Amino acid sequence: MEIHAAQDGRPTTGEADAGLSLPVEPRPLATPEEAWRIAKSLNYRHIEGTVVAVAQDVETGEILMVGHMDPVAVVLTLTTGLAHYYSTSRRRIWLKGETSGHLQIVREFRTDCDGDAVVIKVFQIGAACHLGTRSCFTSPNSFHVKL
Amino acid sequence: MEIHAAQDGRPTTGEADAGLSLPVEPRPLATPEEAWRIAKSLNYRHIEGTVVAVAQDVETGEILMVGHMDPVAVVLTLTTGLAHYYSTSRRRIWLKGETSGHLQIVREFRTDCDGDAVVIKVFQIGAACHLGTRSCFTSPNSFHVKL
């Protein structure tokens, strides 16, 4: 293996430089043809032409966040195995974790009976919430009422 | 116990007539004052002035359905312990199970970091999906892709 010297003098591998040391491997869930067939079948009736997308921890079942997907986000999620959403505020596709590194590695994808919502089951790297908690539903801003 | 004769001649109890034999008791999660405080804190930025509402099985963690709530649906859910949604197609509040009897008895209610989504954990009576499956994400219309 070729060894590089990082700018701080610490020796690193090419792999570590590329930031690719993930605990599980992202793998495609569908071919591009299959992914487009699923994407075309959905009903993008939510804001900005999207479906609701719910991310659930594949190991614990905890609901991590609720976002939106447009057709391209659906296809990118299925063909890369990395969760992509459509930001209704920034009006663009985003790869979850693109700046934070907090990727979601997708293992399962389901659509609902009327095709306007999807559930993805994911390995969450780090925190799902931008406020630093694992789930957006356990953030410091959240209300929680339980019997 | 008083015994009534149903119209088909089958003897039934008054309790069964009223359709009140539930396996668990619905109980309020909040006072009206607390419920309105929570409802007022949310950001109803989704279609028809709603938040997204995800119903999750309190026992298994399975995601049962995705719906919407307006402020009144939030308050009714919290004060009755029975899931209420806002139908964006019929443009009215609905008590889940009002015609089917497939009520959702709510045990936990959480809001997310930016106040535009809620998760409720419920005991689901019968099927959550109008197509007869327990979850809308396992309906005959659903796509399911899994690694």
Side-chain angles (χ1 to χ4, degrees):
Chain A
M1 182 183 289
E2 193 182 349
I3 304 294
H4 304 268
Q7 290 203 336
D8 62 1
R10 180 175 49 87
T12 63
T13 66
E15 190 182 41
D17 277 349
L20 289 177
S21 38
L22 294 172
V24 290
E25 186 85 5
R27 297 210 311 272
L29 286 93
T31 65
E33 293 73 18
E34 291 164 344
W36 277 109
R37 188 166 64 87
I38 293 171
K40 283 179 183 169
S41 77
L42 298 179
N43 178 8
Y44 299 89
R45 73 179 189 89
H46 294 294
I47 49 174
E48 302 285 333
T50 60
V51 293
V52 172
V54 183
Q56 185 177 27
D57 189 302
V58 69
E59 292 178 308
T60 65
E62 183 180 20
I63 296 178
L64 299 170
M65 58 176 279
V66 171
H68 288 76
M69 291 184 187
D70 71 350
V72 176
V74 169
V75 169
L76 291 175
T77 298
L78 287 168
T79 55
T80 65
L82 291 171
H84 289 70
Y85 296 91
Y86 184 84
S87 166
T88 57
S89 54
R90 289 173 290 166
R91 297 195 177 178
R92 70 169 181 89
I93 302 268
W94 54 295
L95 165 64
K96 173 70 180 167
E98 63 189 9
T99 53
S100 65
H102 295 166
L103 300 166
Q104 291 177 337
I105 299 166
V106 183
R107 286 296 186 249
E108 196 170 336
F109 179 103
R110 286 181 182 272
T111 67
D112 76 345
C113 51
D114 54 3
D116 64 357
V118 310
V119 165
I120 53 174
K121 294 194 182 178
V122 304
F123 287 103
Q124 173 69 55
I125 310 297
C129 185
H130 68 295
L131 297 178
T133 51
R134 184 157 175 82
S135 163
C136 290
F137 292 90
T138 55
S139 85
N141 293 353
S142 300
F143 281 98
H144 180 208
V145 190
K146 187 176 177 179
L147 286 184
Chain B
M1 182 183 288
E2 193 181 349
I3 305 294
H4 304 268
Q7 292 205 335
D8 62 1
R10 180 175 48 87
T12 62
T13 66
E15 190 180 42
D17 277 350
L20 288 177
S21 38
L22 294 173
V24 291
E25 187 85 6
R27 297 211 311 270
L29 286 93
T31 65
E33 293 73 18
E34 290 164 344
W36 277 109
R37 188 165 64 88
I38 293 171
K40 283 180 184 169
S41 77
L42 298 180
N43 178 8
Y44 298 90
R45 74 180 188 88
H46 293 294
I47 48 173
E48 302 286 334
T50 61
V51 292
V52 172
V54 182
Q56 186 177 27
D57 188 301
V58 69
E59 292 178 308
T60 65
E62 183 180 19
I63 296 179
L64 299 170
M65 59 177 278
V66 171
H68 288 77
M69 291 184 186
D70 71 350
V72 176
V74 169
V75 169
L76 291 175
T77 298
L78 286 167
T79 55
T80 65
L82 291 171
H84 289 69
Y85 297 91
Y86 183 84
S87 167
T88 57
S89 54
R90 290 174 290 167
R91 298 193 176 179
R92 70 168 181 88
I93 302 268
W94 54 296
L95 165 65
K96 173 69 182 168
E98 63 189 11
T99 53
S100 64
H102 294 166
L103 300 166
Q104 291 176 337
I105 299 165
V106 184
R107 286 294 187 250
E108 196 170 339
F109 179 104
R110 286 182 183 272
T111 67
D112 77 345
C113 51
D114 55 2
D116 64 357
V118 310
V119 165
I120 54 175
K121 293 194 184 178
V122 305
F123 287 104
Q124 173 68 56
I125 310 298
C129 186
H130 69 294
L131 297 178
T133 51
R134 184 158 175 81
S135 163
C136 290
F137 293 89
T138 56
S139 85
N141 292 354
S142 300
F143 280 98
H144 180 209
V145 190
K146 187 176 176 180
L147 285 183

